[in-house]
Amino acid sequence: MNPQSTPTTSAPADETSTLSLALAWVFVGVPLAWGVSQTFIKALALFK
Amino acid sequence: MAENSTSFLDRSRTVAGPGYSRWLVPPAALAIHLAIGQAYAFSVFKKPMGALISGNVDAPAPDDWTAGQLAVIFSIAIVLLGLSAAVFGKWLERVGPRKAMLASALCFGGGFLISALGVSMHQIWLVYFGYGFIGGIGLGIGYISPVSTLIKWFPDRPGVATGMAIMGFGGGAMIGSPLAVALMAQFKDVAPMGVAPTFIVMGLIYLAFMMFGVFTIRVPAEGWKPEGYVPKTNQNALITSANVDADTAIKTPQFWLLWVVLCMNVTAGIGVLESASPLIQESFSDSAMGAGRGVTAAAAAGFVGLLSLFNLLGRFFWSSASDKLGRKPTYMIYFGLGIALYALVPTLAANASLTLFVVVCCVIMSMYGGGFATIPAYLRDMFGTMQVGAIHGRLLTAWSTAGILGPLLVNYLRDNQKAKGLVGAAAYQSVFYTMAGVLVVGFIANFLVSAVAERYHVKNPAPVPATAGAH
């Protein structure tokens, strides 16, 4: 896996830190996980 | 100042500099798709919006909006999704994903705000215009906005990349539904059924959430490729290294075959979605399963939730698998296995095989979701990356078509069987057999897909305007 881009032309530095990458995934991951958990709880009714 | 703020949105300002991680692009895409995926949860508003005057969902007033009037809102949105994706696809390729994502966020969030006004004034045409028309345009632009960018960042695994984003669309309904229920409960004392303030809050939340995508998205510099990535050549005739522009693509038989593939896959999936709750309750009732062992309404809602989970997982699983299996074989599985499973459903329902019935429906739904998520990578294989977003946009008219025709067909078949006096699983037999037939059409269309003829290829691709390479 190559997480860093290697542009062929000069462009301003756009360094991505591990923290900002993790925060970005948390930002979208938390609502998604909440939605999935709500649906999962609802789905459990089928097995009761 | 104004010039600076405008240029922030320009494609040239979105070109990634050294050190930018391509793994930031999927969260940016998810921010858009998780928001607009709320559209699939719009039905949660149906009952409250049908009781704005009476204040009682079980006893609507004569002037309350009917279920039929409310159903039009989603229909307009889904039609506009396809139309706007088709119309704005080339614009998106020209201006880049950031400007398109901003347009989508403003339309989608704005659609909620206009609809809040419509609900407050009890003017349904304002809701049609707000959520349906303006919001629908936001849906279409938002749906396609990150797709070509993801494909360009992940040439080594386009199925994984687009699967992640389009999985977000499935997940959006899972967030949107409980969020709306919670907000309406919170605001129920402030406004009739709490709908208008819920629309305002959701519009603002989604606008802010989508802005994360606007700020985070980057396009790769011209000529960029992942370190160590060597494009495969001549291994698969269905994966081209050439490019076809969007206007030419729609003149190829391959485009229309894939249009049929998507349309048939969606139509059949809608057959299950529309029938799932009543079918499981009617087929596995107390009389079929024994007193107290039948499927209750709550359990049926749980079944629909389970189908949503498999719809979501299928988007990522099947699309990722298609990177290994190839797109055409993956759709052969969707259709081949799908035909067998759809034909099996009525038998399982008639025999009261609840566990198998649930398993089969879950597999079917995973392939329904997979069909959505795999199609961008299929288009990229056939037509190249140059205008894949625009081509994808035009193909989404197949979804709109299925979104209208599918429910019409399913409801007609079911009502027709019930009018003949058939009940339980028997009333749904023709639905599932017809859907298996629909999949046969899709199977044939996919079987006929071959490489795009060289005469359609762009001879000298024009450079993408205003990338880093142009500076």
Side-chain angles (χ1 to χ4, degrees):
Chain A
M1 181 166 78
N2 167 44
Q4 305 295 312
S5 72
T6 50
T8 55
T9 53
S10 61
D14 206 0
E15 199 67 43
T16 304
S17 68
T18 307
L19 179 65
S20 59
L21 192 60
L23 286 175
W25 278 98
V26 166
F27 185 77
V28 293
V30 167
L32 177 60
W34 178 73
V36 169
S37 69
Q38 295 295 308
T39 309
F40 186 73
I41 290 165
K42 199 168 104 179
L44 285 178
L46 180 62
F47 303 102
K48 281 179 184 168
Chain B
M1 191 71 184
E3 191 180 315
N4 283 343
S5 62
T6 303
S7 63
F8 166 75
L9 298 171
D10 285 349
R11 192 185 181 93
S12 60
R13 291 285 297 272
T14 62
V15 177
Y20 179 82
S21 170
R22 64 174 174 163
W23 290 96
L24 272 177
V25 181
L30 276 167
I32 302 297
H33 273 238
L34 284 172
I36 61 174
Q38 181 279 335
Y40 267 161
F42 190 77
S43 59
V44 77
F45 291 113
K46 272 187 176 175
K47 282 197 167 182
M49 287 176 75
L52 292 170
I53 294 174
S54 73
N56 181 355
V57 292
D58 296 321
D63 288 340
D64 266 320
W65 294 332
T66 64
Q69 283 177 302
L70 292 167
V72 174
I73 302 167
F74 180 75
S75 297
I76 295 173
I78 209 79
V79 168
L80 261 293
L81 183 157
L83 290 178
S84 61
V87 169
F88 293 110
K90 283 192 80 172
W91 170 77
L92 156 69
E93 298 290 0
R94 194 174 69 249
V95 302
R98 182 174 285 167
K99 201 177 272 188
M101 284 179 173
L102 178 66
S104 168
L106 292 174
C107 286
F108 192 64
F112 267 108
L113 300 182
I114 295 169
S115 297
L117 187 66
V119 168
S120 298
M121 297 168 65
H122 208 254
Q123 295 290 328
I124 195 145
W125 68 269
L126 258 177
V127 185
Y128 290 162
F129 176 70
Y131 192 91
F133 190 84
I134 301 293
I137 291 173
L139 284 178
I141 297 175
Y143 194 89
I144 60 169
S145 60
V147 168
S148 67
T149 303
L150 279 165
I151 286 175
K152 284 163 191 163
W153 274 115
F154 291 87
D156 47 341
R157 49 186 112 181
V160 173
T162 57
M164 271 189 275
I166 292 172
M167 177 185 75
F169 196 85
M174 296 185 185
I175 299 168
S177 179
L179 177 64
V181 170
L183 287 172
M184 284 190 286
Q186 183 71 28
F187 294 125
K188 68 178 188 301
D189 299 327
V190 179
M193 308 306 288
V195 175
T198 296
F199 275 1
I200 292 171
V201 172
M202 287 184 83
L204 295 175
I205 288 175
Y206 283 130
L207 180 61
F209 195 71
M210 292 169 86
M211 290 309 289
F212 169 77
V214 173
F215 284 104
T216 309
I217 195 78
R218 299 282 191 284
V219 294
E222 199 179 320
W224 176 89
K225 59 179 190 294
E227 210 169 272
Y229 170 67
V230 180
K232 293 174 185 169
T233 50
N234 300 328
Q235 285 198 345
N236 185 342
L238 288 178
I239 302 178
T240 183
S241 55
N243 286 295
V244 180
D245 72 51
D247 292 339
T248 308
I250 59 169
K251 294 173 188 160
T252 65
Q254 286 82 0
F255 175 87
W256 293 105
L257 288 170
L258 292 181
W259 193 97
V260 172
V261 162
L262 182 64
C263 188
M264 296 301 113
N265 195 55
V266 178
T267 301
I270 287 171
V272 175
L273 283 171
E274 287 277 315
S275 312
S277 179
L279 174 60
I280 197 168
Q281 287 182 77
E282 291 172 29
S283 302
F284 301 95
S285 60
D286 276 356
S287 59
M289 305 289 287
R293 296 183 62 202
V295 173
T296 61
F303 175 56
V304 174
L306 194 66
L307 294 182
S308 306
L309 282 173
F310 275 83
N311 179 2
L312 173 103
L313 295 172
R315 288 168 191 247
F316 185 67
F317 172 79
W318 287 109
S319 186
S320 302
S322 76
D323 282 342
K324 302 278 181 208
L325 298 171
R327 306 325 153 191
K328 189 171 176 175
T330 303
Y331 276 92
M332 286 299 189
I333 294 172
Y334 296 159
F335 290 123
L337 183 58
I339 291 164
L341 295 182
Y342 273 77
L344 195 60
V345 167
T347 308
L348 294 174
N351 293 336
S353 312
L354 181 59
T355 308
L356 264 180
F357 173 87
V358 170
V359 169
V360 165
C361 288
C362 286
V363 175
I364 285 174
M365 283 318 295
S366 80
M367 296 192 294
Y368 166 75
F372 277 114
T374 314
I375 206 77
Y378 207 163
L379 291 170
R380 173 262 198 189
D381 288 355
M382 303 299 299
F383 300 107
T385 57
M386 190 180 77
Q387 290 193 348
V388 67
I391 298 168
H392 184 219
R394 292 176 187 198
L395 197 82
L396 290 183
T397 50
W399 180 7
S400 296
T401 306
I404 299 298
L405 290 181
L408 283 176
L409 184 62
V410 169
N411 291 325
Y412 168 77
L413 289 168
R414 187 180 54 201
D415 294 347
N416 186 265
Q417 294 299 93
K418 286 193 170 178
K420 288 179 184 167
L422 295 172
V423 291
Y428 295 87
Q429 231 170 24
S430 65
V431 171
F432 280 85
Y433 291 151
T434 303
M435 293 307 151
V438 162
L439 290 179
V440 170
V441 177
F443 186 93
I444 294 167
N446 186 52
F447 181 76
L448 293 174
V449 170
S450 58
V452 174
E454 212 169 296
R455 67 177 183 278
Y456 294 115
H457 294 171
V458 173
K459 296 294 181 285
N460 296 303
V464 177
T467 63
H471 286 271

